[in-house]
Amino acid sequence: MKLCMIGTGYVGLVSGVCFSDLGNDVICVDKDLKKIEDLKKGIIPIYEPGLEELVIKNYKNKRLTFSNNLKESIKKSDVIFICVGTPTKKGGSSADLTQIYNAAKEIASSINKFKIIITKSTVPVTTGDEIEKIISKKVSKNKFSVVSNPEFLREGEAIRDFTYPDRIVVGTHEKKSNQIMKNLYSPLISKGASYVHTSRRAAELIKYAANAFLATKITFINEIANLCEQTGINVEDVSIGIGLDKRIGGRFLRAGPAYGGSCFPKDTKAITSTADKFKTNLSVIKSVIKSNEKRSILLLNRVNKILQKKIKNKKILFLGVTFKANTDDMRDSSSLSMIPALSKKGALISYYDPTGEKKEFKKVKNVKFEKDFKSAIRESDLTIVHTEWNDFKSINFKLLLNRKKLTVYDMRNIYSPNKMRKQGVRYFGIGR
Ligand SMILES: NC(=O)c1ccc[n+]([C@@H]2O[C@H](COP(=O)([O-])OP(=O)(O)OC[C@H]3O[C@@H](n4cnc5c(N)ncnc54)[C@H](O)[C@@H]3O)[C@@H](O)[C@H]2O)c1
C-alpha cells in the first residue's frame, strides 16, 4: 500500500519505518526542514533503540522516503496517517488540536482520489467528527474516510511494541476502510496481535482510558510507597505480592518519581477536560493528576532530610534526567521540576544522561553536564538515580568510595539496600 505519515516524530517516524519494513511504500512528511534533510542523510532525530538500522535499510531499498511537500505526498498515497503533536493547551488542560486541524485542512486541499485518513495521534473523543467536517467542506464525502487508529507504542521499546502489539484498535463504521486497515495490519495480526474493530469515538476514548489507567497504577503504587516509608515495609515486596494476582498484574507497579513523558501528563489532563465538557466528573483521574503533581515536592523533602536540611552548596549529582530509560525525551520529566528547585535552594547540581546534555538545563543556575559519571559520583555529596538506565545498574560503588561516605538516593530502586550498605554507601530508596 502507499502510505503517507504526516508528522515524523516519535510516532510518525517509528510507525512509518515499521510499515515500510512490512513491505509498504511510505512517505514520512514533516514541516521541519532540518529533520527531513537529516533523515535523508541517515541522521535520526530521536534516540530509539534499533531505529537507525531500520531507517537506513528501508531508505536504501526505496520503500521509505522523506519529504517536506505534504500536498504531493498526499496525492501519491492511498492511506494518510496523522501523527502530529497534541500537547496540552497553554494555560489549560484540554488538548491543543491546532496541528491536527491544520493537517486536516492541508489534506482537504490535496485530495485527488479516495483516501483513508487515520488519526494515529492521541485525540479527544469527537475529533474524528471534526476532521470529517473540515474535509467535507472541500471534498465530497464519498472521496474520503476518517478512521481512528490510536498508537500504543512506548518510547524505548517502540519498534518491538509496534511489531508485536497486544492489540490494534481501529475505529470506523465503514466496511471498506475496516477491510483496508485489516489488510494493512495483517502481518501483525498473523503474529498474534488482537484486532479490535469498534466505533471511531470508542477508539479515541480507548487510548485515553488506557493511559489514564496506567497513570493511575503508577500513582497508586507511589502512594503505597509513601506508606511503606512510614511503616518500615519494602514497597517492592508489596508490588510482587499484589502484582502476582492476575486481576492486578505486575506491570506499572514500580514506585518511583512522578510519572512524566510526552503522554501520561497531557493525556490524563485531556481526558478529564473532555469529561468536564460532557458534564461527567472523572474524579479518580483528577486525584491521580493532583497526587502526581505533588510527588516531586515529596521527593525533594526527602532530599532535604537526607542532606540534614543543608542543601546550600551541596554537590548533587543526577544520574539520568529523561522521564524513563532508553529515550532522549525530556517532555514532562520530573527532573525538569526537581533540578531547578534544588538549584534555587543553592545546591550545586551536575547531571549525566546517556543521551547527552539537555538544552532544558542550559539556563538553570549552578547546573552542569558531566561526561564521566563515575568521577562525578566520587565528588558528590548526594547521588540521585533519577532514570533506570542499564548503565547505572552495575556501578561498583565500593571502587568509588574515597575519604567521605557516598550517599545515594535511588529513586528507581535499582540497587539492593543490603548490598549498598555492605559496600559502605549511605543508601535511600523509594518506599523502603
Ligand atoms: N511519543 C509517544 O511515545 C507516543 C505514543 C503513542 C501516541 N503518541 C501520540 O502521537 C502523537 C504524536 O506524538 P509524538 O511524540 O510523535 O510527537 P512529536 O512532537 O515527536 O512529533 C510530531 C511531529 O509532527 C510534525 N508536524 C506537525 N504539524 C505538521 C504538519 N502540518 N505537517 C507535517 N508535519 C507536522 C512536527 O514538526 C513534529 O516533528 C501525539 O498525539 C501523542 O500523544 C505518542
Side-chain angles (χ1 to χ4, degrees), residues 6-11 29-31 35 70 83-86 99 106 121-122 151 153 155 207 262-263 266 331:
I6 307 181
T8 306
Y10 286 84
V11 164
V29 185
D30 207 286
K31 58 182 185 183
K35 201 180 252 190
L70 185 54
C83 309
V84 300
T86 49
Q99 294 180 45
E106 292 186 73
S121 297
T122 304
E151 183 50 59
L153 62 78
E155 288 172 16
K207 173 65 192 179
S262 64
C263 293
K266 80 171 175 66
R331 286 177 283 185

Side-chain angles (χ1 to χ4, degrees), residues 5-14 28-33 35-36 45-46 48 67-68 70 82-87 97-104 106 120-123 150-156 158 207-208 211 261-264 266-267 323-324 327 329 331:
M5 316 302 290
I6 307 181
T8 306
Y10 286 84
V11 164
L13 181 58
V14 171
C28 283
V29 185
D30 207 286
K31 58 182 185 183
D32 182 337
L33 197 73
K35 201 180 252 190
I36 293 300
I46 54 171
E48 183 60 50
S67 173
N68 284 112
L70 185 54
I82 302 178
C83 309
V84 300
T86 49
L97 298 174
T98 315
Q99 294 180 45
I100 296 279
Y101 295 147
N102 284 343
E106 292 186 73
K120 211 167 225 337
S121 297
T122 304
V123 292
E151 183 50 59
F152 298 96
L153 62 78
R154 292 163 299 170
E155 288 172 16
K207 173 65 192 179
Y208 279 105
N211 275 359
S262 64
C263 293
F264 290 176
K266 80 171 175 66
D267 292 349
F323 79 99
K324 66 171 181 178
T327 182
D329 200 342
R331 286 177 283 185

Side-chain angles (χ1 to χ4, degrees), residues 104-366:
K105 282 174 202 157
E106 292 186 73
I107 293 168
S109 60
S110 317
I111 290 183
N112 53 342
K113 56 180 177 176
F114 182 80
K115 311 271 172 197
I116 299 195
I117 296 138
I118 302 148
T119 45
K120 211 167 225 337
S121 297
T122 304
V123 292
V125 182
T126 68
T127 304
D129 306 1
E130 285 304 315
I131 295 173
E132 199 171 276
K133 264 190 219 158
I134 292 172
I135 301 178
S136 59
K137 277 184 192 156
K138 285 206 166 174
V139 184
S140 122
K141 273 195 177 167
N142 60 8
K143 277 231 163 137
F144 72 96
S145 164
V146 178
V147 174
S148 168
N149 170 221
E151 183 50 59
F152 298 96
L153 62 78
R154 292 163 299 170
E155 288 172 16
E157 315 261 356
I159 291 167
R160 203 206 69 88
D161 282 352
F162 186 90
T163 320
Y164 299 96
D166 292 333
R167 78 310 205 180
I168 294 149
V169 174
V170 171
T172 175
H173 293 295
E174 289 160 37
K175 254 189 173 172
K176 181 179 167 187
S177 306
N178 184 41
Q179 201 47 56
I180 294 173
M181 293 300 285
K182 228 178 186 170
N183 289 347
L184 179 62
Y185 279 111
S186 60
L188 308 187
I189 298 166
S190 64
K191 277 193 282 183
S194 299
Y195 184 84
V196 180
H197 175 214
T198 181
S199 70
R200 191 166 64 202
R201 286 186 179 189
E204 290 169 340
L205 186 56
I206 284 169
K207 173 65 192 179
Y208 279 105
N211 275 359
F213 189 81
L214 294 172
T216 304
K217 237 180 144 180
I218 295 173
T219 307
F220 176 85
I221 200 67
N222 280 344
E223 288 200 349
I224 295 293
N226 297 343
L227 178 59
C228 289
E229 280 175 22
Q230 301 306 322
T231 48
I233 295 167
N234 187 345
V235 71
E236 299 296 323
D237 294 345
V238 179
S239 292
I240 293 168
I242 63 173
L244 284 170
D245 183 330
K246 288 196 179 66
R247 292 169 302 175
I248 298 172
R251 293 168 78 188
F252 283 76
L253 276 184
R254 298 293 311 274
Y259 63 72
S262 64
C263 293
F264 290 176
K266 80 171 175 66
D267 292 349
T268 43
K269 283 184 204 150
I271 190 175
T272 56
S273 159
T274 303
D276 288 346
K277 190 174 137 194
F278 288 95
K279 305 211 176 337
T280 308
N281 185 16
L282 295 182
S283 60
V284 171
I285 307 173
K286 280 182 184 167
S287 52
V288 164
I289 296 169
K290 266 195 200 143
S291 172
N292 194 61
E293 281 170 356
K294 283 189 202 143
R295 181 132 189 95
S296 294
I297 300 167
L298 222 85
L299 299 196
L300 286 172
N301 288 343
R302 186 106 191 268
V303 169
N304 197 31
K305 255 193 194 164
I306 293 169
L307 291 173
Q308 281 126 13
K309 298 189 182 163
K310 288 174 195 144
I311 287 183
K312 200 168 170 42
N313 293 328
K314 284 278 159 34
K315 291 181 186 161
I316 302 179
L317 167 70
F318 273 71
L319 291 182
V321 287
T322 54
F323 79 99
K324 66 171 181 178
N326 295 322
T327 182
D328 57 352
D329 200 342
M330 284 296 290
R331 286 177 283 185
D332 273 321
S333 173
S334 59
S335 68
L336 292 172
S337 60
M338 286 201 269
I339 288 181
L342 289 167
S343 137
K344 238 185 184 173
K345 291 208 159 128
L348 309 171
I349 315 271
S350 57
Y351 72 94
Y352 168 81
D353 193 278
T355 59
E357 197 169 355
K358 302 293 166 200
K359 62 176 187 324
E360 288 81 356
F361 298 126
K362 282 244 158 88
K363 285 189 183 147
V364 186
K365 216 176 142 191
N366 290 332

